[in-house]
Amino acid sequence: MTQVQSIPAVTPIEKRGYAHPEVLVSTAWVDQHLSDPKVRLVESNEDLLLYDTGHIPGAVKIDWTNDLNDPVVRDYVDREKLERLLRARGIDQDTTIVFYGDKNNWWATYALWVLQLFGVKNVKVMDGGRLRWVDEGRPLTTDQPKYKEGNIKVGKRDDSKIRAFRDEVLDHLKKKGQLVDVRSPEEFRGEKTHMPEYPQEGCLRGGHIPGAKSIPWAKAIDPETHTFRPASELKKLYEQDNSLRGDAETIAYCRIGERSSHTWFALTYLLGCEKVRNYDGSWTEWGNAVRLPVEKP
């Protein structure tokens, strides 16, 4: 077992009051299962080169740009391509898939969300992501693992429950439904069209969808430990401070759907909200579309 460096401690996952604590695993749990043939670690990062500089031993890589997206249509791969992808990573029908990555697991939750469109079961996220693993002094390797082809079977994609499209968002808006804008405050106010530290690209108009609540995705994370805040703090953030109803239809969006998948994950699995959808078209679609309303403070 790895010798862990002294860093801020975290409350055990099972004691944080989550609706579905089983969807998170700790870095210690991952360390204990590094040689478990029934567990496949999958790293998914914003930085597509980061995996090659060092990753958790035995982890495979899923590239959100080339592996999950259709090369022609702005959409996700079909069932057959996803099945081939997962089988090539040595994933069997009974494999526990554990995602982790950079940016406090932005792309880990995004990859998990995409797999949920296809009904893939037994998927989890390593709480704290790469940052927590590295902070604890746990091992990284540049070795490329090789596994025999897996036998996982992927179901037909069903977007209806957890994905929202532009016209559905417009209908939701007309019904005064709950909308959560998880981007930075500068993007919400229309001062930026991308995160402040990034090139300002991707859309013609800045602002937000009328009536949306501004709840930046990172507020769900403890910045010292990089792990999800306990349920009591998440409830205060979403329900008390921003008046979100857990039983109401909710749509989350950002710029391209990755940050909002993180909020979708927190609301769905950690707080147990059953009617949350991710609008992956997000601001790159809404901010460029003709005849769609844009609001600024």
Side-chain angles (χ1 to χ4, degrees):
M1 188 179 299
T2 304
Q3 184 68 36
V4 180
Q5 297 178 2
S6 178
I7 61 171
V10 296
T11 303
I13 292 168
E14 63 273 12
K15 295 184 178 180
R16 296 186 210 163
Y18 297 143
H20 300 284
E22 70 279 0
V23 81
L24 283 178
V25 294
S26 67
T27 50
W29 185 97
V30 169
D31 199 11
Q32 294 164 3
H33 289 81
L34 289 181
S35 300
D36 189 339
K38 296 296 185 181
V39 173
R40 181 69 68 245
L41 302 174
V42 181
E43 181 166 316
S44 188
N45 300 315
E46 178 191 52
D47 182 348
L48 302 181
L49 302 178
L50 188 58
Y51 173 88
D52 296 325
T53 69
H55 48 268
I56 297 176
V60 297
K61 174 184 176 181
I62 286 186
D63 179 329
W64 63 273
T65 300
N66 298 313
D67 291 335
L68 298 180
N69 287 279
D70 185 279
V72 178
V73 180
R74 186 184 168 182
D75 201 357
Y76 302 111
V77 294
D78 58 24
R79 184 193 68 79
E80 290 79 9
K81 289 181 180 178
L82 182 63
E83 187 171 275
R84 286 200 299 270
L85 170 71
L86 298 180
R87 288 184 174 187
R89 303 300 190 270
I91 295 173
D92 292 325
Q93 191 67 25
D94 61 351
T95 298
T96 296
I97 305 171
V98 179
F99 287 104
Y100 75 95
D102 63 357
K103 302 291 185 179
N104 290 322
N105 281 329
W106 269 3
W107 297 100
T109 54
Y110 179 78
L112 183 146
W113 175 76
V114 171
L115 263 62
Q116 292 309 287
L117 296 174
F118 296 86
V120 177
K121 306 298 183 184
N122 208 11
V123 288
K124 303 178 187 295
V125 167
M126 185 181 79
D127 194 29
R130 275 186 64 105
L131 282 173
R132 182 74 187 180
W133 184 271
V134 171
D135 283 354
E136 291 176 346
R138 299 186 189 275
L140 295 176
T141 182
T142 57
D143 293 343
Q144 300 285 338
K146 295 185 182 297
Y147 300 107
K148 69 176 184 178
E149 183 170 334
N151 60 23
I152 188 172
K153 294 182 179 179
V154 173
K156 182 179 179 181
R157 198 179 81 197
D158 179 7
D159 295 327
S160 61
K161 186 176 180 181
I162 62 172
R163 188 182 186 191
F165 293 93
R166 185 188 69 181
D167 289 345
E168 294 171 333
V169 176
L170 191 57
D171 288 341
H172 187 73
L173 174 61
K174 292 175 181 177
K175 297 174 184 177
K176 300 187 182 301
Q178 291 185 158
L179 285 163
V180 180
D181 186 319
V182 315
R183 299 174 300 162
S184 66
E186 292 90 342
E187 291 170 276
F188 182 81
R189 293 192 297 263
E191 299 162 5
K192 302 286 186 180
T193 56
H194 200 337
M195 289 174 285
E197 63 273 25
Y198 285 66
Q200 297 304 301
E201 60 185 12
C203 65
L204 296 173
R205 296 186 298 166
H208 58 267
I209 300 175
K213 302 274 189 179
S214 176
I215 314 176
W217 71 275
K219 289 188 175 183
I221 295 293
D222 182 327
E224 290 191 356
T225 65
H226 315 304
T227 60
F228 280 101
R229 296 184 183 278
S232 59
E233 295 182 19
L234 295 178
K235 287 180 180 178
K236 182 180 186 302
L237 171 64
Y238 295 111
E239 298 177 7
Q240 298 175 31
D241 295 349
N242 288 284
S243 302
L244 286 185
R245 289 175 45 213
D247 61 347
E249 294 272 357
T250 305
I251 294 176
Y253 72 92
C254 58
R255 194 182 76 95
I256 58 173
E258 89 294 2
R259 287 176 283 174
S260 47
S261 72
H262 194 276
T263 296
W264 165 85
F265 179 90
L267 291 173
T268 300
Y269 291 110
L270 306 187
L271 291 185
C273 304
E274 297 182 353
K275 301 176 182 178
V276 185
R277 288 182 289 166
N278 183 22
Y279 171 36
D280 58 288
S282 282
W283 202 254
T284 53
E285 178 176 47
W286 197 274
N288 284 316
V290 176
R291 303 187 74 178
L292 289 185
V294 172
E295 185 174 79
K296 296 182 181 181

